[in-house]
Amino acid sequence: MKHLFLADTHLSDPADPIYRQVMDLLEEHAGQLGTLVLLGDIFEFWIGYRHVVFSNYVPLLEKLRQLREAGTQLVFVEGNHDFHLGPYFRDILDCRILPDGGPLELDGRRIFLTHGDLVNPHDKGYRRLRRVLRHPLTRRLLSWIPPDAAWAVARRASRLSARKGGGRQRRSIPEQALLAFADERFKEGYDTVITGHFHVPLQRCRDGKCLLALGDWGHGPSFILLEQGAFTCYPDAPSP
Ligand SMILES: [Mn+2]
């Protein structure tokens, strides 16, 4: 059995090459996947309505449903583009949702999963905004926005942020903060920390303990496979 980890695909349109590559990757491993771990920002924008899903995401959601039906466990760590995953993920896809990251034991590995947006404890402004956005009251308010309007506003916001150099752009990876975060988890007994969010792949392993960061898909597929207790990262990021 294989276990697959990916993050930051920022999907929005099924006609985009990255969307097709993600579908191909899932198709390629279908039938052999014990677990599929999605580490956030898989969608460029998501709100979990009760009875509605965005039509652009139907191909991916259907693929996830087929995987689940074939026995694959689905785990979703919420990102800063896709939170309030909602009833569709919870009830239809029977997905384990980790809003703030958390533990996962697989193949004898004790893994701590995080999207990566909570790694820097000094980022007080972002943490405040994050708390407001994820408040149950905010979820209630968001669910009253008509889906077409929410989609249009979100698409506009991502186009603006892409123009300003945010969104899908690669950012620098705060390696020291990540290593400090990972060290804390290692002290708690985890042997692996997997993160996304920074859009830059990274592998730092020492004494059997590994910090692994997933890249985005702007330069080709970026994912991690766990097989028989061993991680393989694609692309193979340089190790010091
Ligand atoms: Mn992110």
Side-chain angles (χ1 to χ4, degrees):
M1 268 293 161
K2 297 182 207 174
H3 311 286
L4 174 65
F5 301 76
L6 56 141
D8 299 293
T9 51
H10 288 266
L11 302 181
S12 59
D13 183 343
D16 282 346
I18 291 177
Y19 202 124
R20 289 206 300 268
Q21 286 169 355
V22 170
M23 296 293 287
D24 289 347
L25 179 73
L26 296 178
E27 184 60 47
E28 186 190 327
H29 293 285
Q32 321 155 53
L33 271 190
T35 317
L36 171 64
V37 185
L38 302 167
L39 281 110
D41 292 0
I42 297 300
F43 303 104
E44 177 64 13
F45 174 66
W46 175 272
I47 294 178
Y49 291 97
R50 182 159 292 280
H51 300 292
V52 174
V53 294
F54 295 112
S55 57
N56 278 16
Y57 295 139
V58 168
L60 178 68
L61 295 173
E62 182 53 17
K63 175 60 67 192
L64 295 180
R65 199 191 57 77
Q66 288 166 5
L67 287 170
R68 184 69 198 102
E69 215 166 75
T72 303
Q73 285 290 340
L74 304 177
V75 179
F76 203 117
V77 177
E78 294 186 348
N80 49 311
H81 286 250
D82 39 16
F83 47 91
H84 301 313
L85 274 183
Y88 194 89
F89 269 84
R90 194 184 55 233
D91 304 333
I92 311 286
L93 296 178
D94 184 28
C95 176
R96 182 177 164 213
I97 300 168
L98 298 170
D100 301 318
L104 179 69
E105 291 209 25
L106 271 183
D107 266 5
R109 306 292 305 230
R110 292 196 64 199
I111 307 163
F112 188 87
L113 302 169
T114 177
H115 175 59
D117 54 333
L118 289 175
V119 162
N120 179 1
H122 306 296
D123 203 350
K124 298 253 164 59
Y126 172 71
R127 282 174 180 243
R128 239 184 335 263
L129 172 69
R130 190 181 188 277
R131 266 198 302 276
V132 171
L133 286 174
R134 289 169 189 248
H135 195 277
L137 191 63
T138 311
R139 185 177 59 216
R140 257 309 253 298
L141 290 172
L142 285 172
S143 73
W144 293 338
I145 304 175
D148 278 342
W151 182 261
V153 170
R155 294 300 297 137
R156 218 181 130 77
S158 352
R159 273 195 288 270
L160 272 176
S161 118
R163 231 176 283 155
K164 281 192 197 147
R168 287 186 188 183
Q169 303 288 321
R170 288 195 163 205
R171 47 201 83 166
S172 62
I173 189 157
E175 193 173 331
Q176 291 314 314
L178 268 173
L179 285 168
F181 178 87
D183 272 337
E184 289 302 311
R185 304 292 85 74
F186 298 153
K187 277 183 212 148
E188 291 165 4
Y190 296 98
D191 57 52
T192 310
V193 171
I194 306 182
T195 185
H197 187 56
F198 303 101
H199 294 204
V200 180
L202 181 84
Q203 296 158 235
R204 294 287 180 266
C205 295
R206 133 170 82 85
D207 308 329
K209 299 197 165 50
C210 280
L211 161 66
L212 306 174
L214 286 148
D216 62 7
W217 283 50
H219 301 260
S222 172
F223 58 93
I224 295 171
L225 277 177
L226 170 62
E227 224 175 336
Q228 293 173 347
F231 289 101
T232 315
C233 302
Y234 300 87
D236 192 18
S239 229

